[in-house]
Amino acid sequence: MSGNPDLRRRPRRLRSSPALRQLLAETDLGPADLVYPIFVIHGAGQRRPLPSLPGQAQISVDLLADEARELQSLGIPGVLLFGVPARKDDEGSENYDPDGIAARAIRELKDAAPDLLVFSDLCFCSYTGHGHCGIINQTGSPHYQPELPQGHLLNDASLDILARAAVVHARAGADFISPSGMLDGMVAAIRDALDSQGLAGTGILSYAAKFASGFYGPFQHAADSAPAFGDRRTHQLPPANRREAMLEIELDEAEGADILMVKPALAYLDVLAAARLRTRLPLAAYQVSGEYAMLHAAAANGWLDLRRTALESLLAIRRAGADFVISYFAKDAARWLGG
Ligand code: PBG
Ligand code: ZN
């Protein structure tokens, strides 16, 4: 019967019932695979909804205990913490203030729920008046370098304040320091600072392959971290470059990172899959604010089923190689998954 397909092979046989499909699932997704991002502000009894992140809010420190208990009851093992400071200055000094928003929030969470993992985001863009991820080059600054352009993010000077803030976050009780600024040498600088201060038990989850992405839009409002001028393209990765992302992955592993992250997630699944082949370290993926906002916007128009597309996206991120996913959907997904 030339020209006929070979119907001895019928892959559909294995898809014929829910029990078979469940038995043969190659990838799974549960509440234990998720980490929930939280934006924390000073004050009391405050919950400020974020319009571009439907269902998400900035919450004051005193509400963290309830939040932590809710996450634990849902089976979510950790949070990624973003402090939104009361004051901003050129060096983002609140980030390394032991009474600053990050340190206070970490202490509050660890007091309320010692077993909930705290990944503390470590960047300066929420803390600096100019909204950049560290110290920038400007005339009059003690760090001024005339050979570099005005407004350039100074790498090595920024490493010093990163290391300083890492120690403050770690002393407050953070389980993992999560540097997100894509500065050269940031992991090594943080590792050395932690080790020299007796904090060898504190881990580093590095934003190793973080791309200069338009999908961070809603976040920059939530964390009040949009740059006042310029952009982040001199430190974040060019979206065209997977090979360069592998270099970043390998450098952060060599510098002593414990866990590596790829970010954003859905538009960079090839990068995640490639990273999975390069390293034996655990991999995290960040389903970022724009990914969340897109699905919500389409669902609000009746164009997509939110639950179905959110769970499908999270599963796809796991399939591509993420051991866990940082997601604004974490709580909803845990409920949908019956956690
Ligand atoms: C700060 C930071 C950003 C995100 C996490 N940490 C934004 C940026 O680099 O501009 C994005 C997270 C999200 O969009 O959900 N360095
Ligand atoms: Zn930053």
Side-chain angles (χ1 to χ4, degrees):
M1 301 277 268
S2 70
N4 274 2
D6 179 356
L7 289 175
R8 287 170 299 183
R9 302 298 307 271
R10 290 184 184 270
R12 290 187 57 189
R13 214 177 274 132
L14 298 181
R15 301 174 201 141
S16 59
S17 72
L20 258 177
R21 292 195 293 270
Q22 216 180 329
L23 182 70
L24 300 176
E26 296 175 39
T27 309
D28 64 354
L29 173 71
D33 304 314
L34 303 171
V35 162
Y36 185 60
I38 313 189
F39 302 100
V40 187
I41 52 177
H42 289 285
Q46 304 257 357
R47 180 176 289 274
R48 294 200 193 130
L50 296 163
S52 57
L53 286 174
Q56 308 299 312
Q58 294 178 333
I59 61 172
S60 53
V61 200
D62 58 315
L63 301 182
L64 285 174
D66 281 347
E67 190 75 25
R69 282 187 282 271
E70 183 189 7
L71 291 165
Q72 287 196 303
S73 74
L74 289 167
I76 295 168
V79 298
L80 177 61
L81 186 73
F82 294 97
V84 183
R87 64 164 204 274
K88 295 178 190 261
D89 54 37
D90 276 355
E91 289 213 359
S93 61
E94 188 172 330
N95 203 8
Y96 48 79
D97 180 344
D99 282 317
I101 190 63
R104 291 184 57 191
I106 294 163
R107 283 196 296 271
E108 189 76 19
L109 281 168
K110 292 311 281 187
D111 278 352
D115 299 334
L116 184 73
L117 293 167
V118 175
F119 296 90
S120 186
D121 183 271
L122 188 68
C123 201
F124 278 88
C125 43
S126 301
Y127 293 86
T128 51
H130 45 68
H132 286 285
C133 302
I135 295 173
I136 57 162
N137 203 36
Q138 46 190 346
T139 38
S141 146
H143 306 282
Y144 184 59
Q145 291 186 241
E147 70 281 11
L148 290 172
Q150 290 284 337
H152 181 78
L153 181 64
L154 292 173
N155 197 84
D156 304 7
S158 301
L159 292 183
D160 293 340
I161 55 171
L162 265 187
R164 188 168 164 188
V167 168
V168 169
H169 292 205
R171 285 208 181 111
D175 298 283
F176 285 82
I177 303 300
S178 305
S180 62
M182 290 295 291
L183 294 175
D184 294 339
M186 67 182 185
V187 172
I190 291 166
R191 187 70 271 158
D192 287 352
L194 294 175
D195 291 353
S196 73
Q197 298 298 311
L199 295 161
T202 307
I204 299 177
L205 161 61
S206 181
Y207 286 65
K210 175 176 177 179
F211 288 84
S213 173
F215 289 104
Y216 308 149
F219 172 95
Q220 292 185 353
H221 172 71
D224 192 18
S225 68
F229 53 85
D231 56 39
R232 311 214 200 286
R233 285 177 228 250
T234 68
H235 46 113
Q236 298 178 348
L237 283 163
N241 294 2
R242 182 173 55 212
R243 204 174 55 220
E244 190 177 349
M246 295 305 105
L247 175 63
E248 289 283 5
I249 289 278
E250 287 167 5
L251 286 173
D252 281 12
E253 174 163 5
E255 288 179 28
D258 300 284
I259 306 176
L260 302 169
M261 188 203 294
V262 173
K263 174 189 175 194
L266 207 56
Y268 296 86
L269 292 185
D270 61 317
V271 175
L272 191 57
R276 183 63 293 160
L277 299 173
R278 291 277 173 138
T279 178
R280 283 179 277 182
L281 292 182
L283 282 176
Y286 196 150
Q287 181 186 52
V288 301
S289 55
E291 299 180 61
Y292 175 86
M294 261 186 330
L295 293 185
H296 265 280
N301 277 295
W303 297 336
L304 288 179
D305 179 315
L306 186 66
R307 171 182 170 149
R308 189 168 171 193
T309 53
L311 291 178
E312 182 178 337
S313 303
L314 290 168
L315 186 69
I317 297 163
R318 290 267 298 138
R319 189 193 65 234
D323 294 287
F324 64 92
V325 187
I326 300 160
S327 174
Y328 304 96
F329 283 117
K331 287 203 258 182
D332 288 334
R335 286 187 201 103
W336 292 330
L337 295 163

